[in-house]
Amino acid sequence: NKMTGEKGVLFTAAYTKKFREMEQQLINQPIYSYMIEDPVQRAQKWIEERKERDKLEQENKELKPKATYAEHVLQTQSLMSVTEIAKDYGWGAPTLHKVLSELGVQYRQAGSWHLYYKYQNKGYTGSKTHVIDHEKSKRHMYWTQKGRLFIYNLLKEQKGIVPVMERENEQLRLVK
């Protein structure tokens, strides 16, 4: 560096800072078994890598059927009542309606529940019309599996609430 004065000091500081960042990147770079010269250390590192790969393959084997099932469920066109979803949480329909209303997801108008504009056309709900008599009918909102997943994520993230089944699994893990 041939610069002097304030420019020289600033240049040297910036250069040194960049050098240290690059040095840290090299230090933090993972070392794989094929990079090690010593055959014993290379073999030990390869064993560690193999164990990690086996562990990940086992996790994948266990999770893949669940992911496939979830994917199939989300693609179904069947509709669920709010009562069915509320039961997942140990609630009745009025409680879930109230929570979803408080979270700004839905509102009640003329005796029926409706999604706010923000949530419409996302595939969360469908509706069915129930005939009361030859002059009257009533529309009811039902939830899709995609909507059920939306509710699950919303309650978990916004309220820290999970379905009863997950709470029971958590309690079982704590006991073991």
Side-chain angles (χ1 to χ4, degrees), residues 88-91 160-174:
D88 290 345
Y89 296 89
W91 299 340
I161 299 170
V162 294
V164 172
M165 187 165 70
E166 285 188 35
R167 287 182 240 153
E168 289 171 357
N169 288 342
E170 184 62 31
Q171 289 169 354
L172 287 174
R173 275 187 290 225
L174 293 174

Side-chain angles (χ1 to χ4, degrees), residues 12-153:
T12 303
Y15 180 84
T16 305
K17 180 182 177 193
K18 201 63 162 163
F19 178 82
R20 287 195 180 123
E21 287 174 5
M22 289 170 37
E23 184 180 44
Q24 202 58 40
Q25 284 177 342
L26 290 172
I27 290 169
N28 293 336
Q29 191 174 27
I31 298 172
Y32 300 103
S33 59
Y34 68 86
M35 303 166 104
I36 300 173
E37 295 285 329
D38 181 340
V40 173
Q41 288 178 349
R42 184 177 335 137
Q44 289 171 337
K45 184 68 173 174
W46 183 87
I47 291 168
E48 287 175 28
E49 292 168 355
R50 185 62 199 194
K51 284 180 181 177
E52 180 64 20
R53 185 171 37 245
D54 289 347
K55 179 181 149 207
L56 293 173
E57 286 174 0
Q58 182 62 33
E59 284 178 19
N60 188 40
K61 193 184 287 185
E62 292 170 9
L63 293 175
K64 191 172 183 177
K66 293 176 185 176
T68 302
Y69 171 77
E71 189 175 303
H72 287 301
V73 167
L74 287 174
Q75 291 175 0
T76 64
Q77 297 301 312
S78 63
L79 298 174
M80 300 180 69
S81 70
V82 73
T83 301
E84 292 174 286
I85 297 171
K87 294 297 178 199
D88 290 345
Y89 296 89
W91 299 340
T95 303
L96 184 55
H97 278 305
K98 181 181 178 205
V99 171
L100 292 174
S101 182
E102 289 170 357
L103 290 170
V105 173
Q106 64 182 16
Y107 61 95
R108 191 166 177 90
Q109 183 178 36
S112 295
W113 288 97
H114 304 274
L115 294 182
Y116 280 104
Y117 180 77
K118 177 179 177 180
Y119 301 106
Q120 291 176 354
N121 301 320
K122 293 196 180 227
Y124 296 155
T125 62
S127 65
K128 293 181 183 177
T129 302
H130 298 278
V131 177
I132 296 169
D133 59 35
H134 70 282
E135 294 179 10
K136 268 183 156 175
S137 64
K138 185 165 181 158
R139 186 190 74 75
H140 290 280
M141 183 173 71
Y142 287 85
W143 291 86
T144 63
Q145 292 297 333
K146 183 177 180 182
R148 184 182 189 186
L149 181 62
F150 163 74
I151 291 171
Y152 171 85
N153 289 326

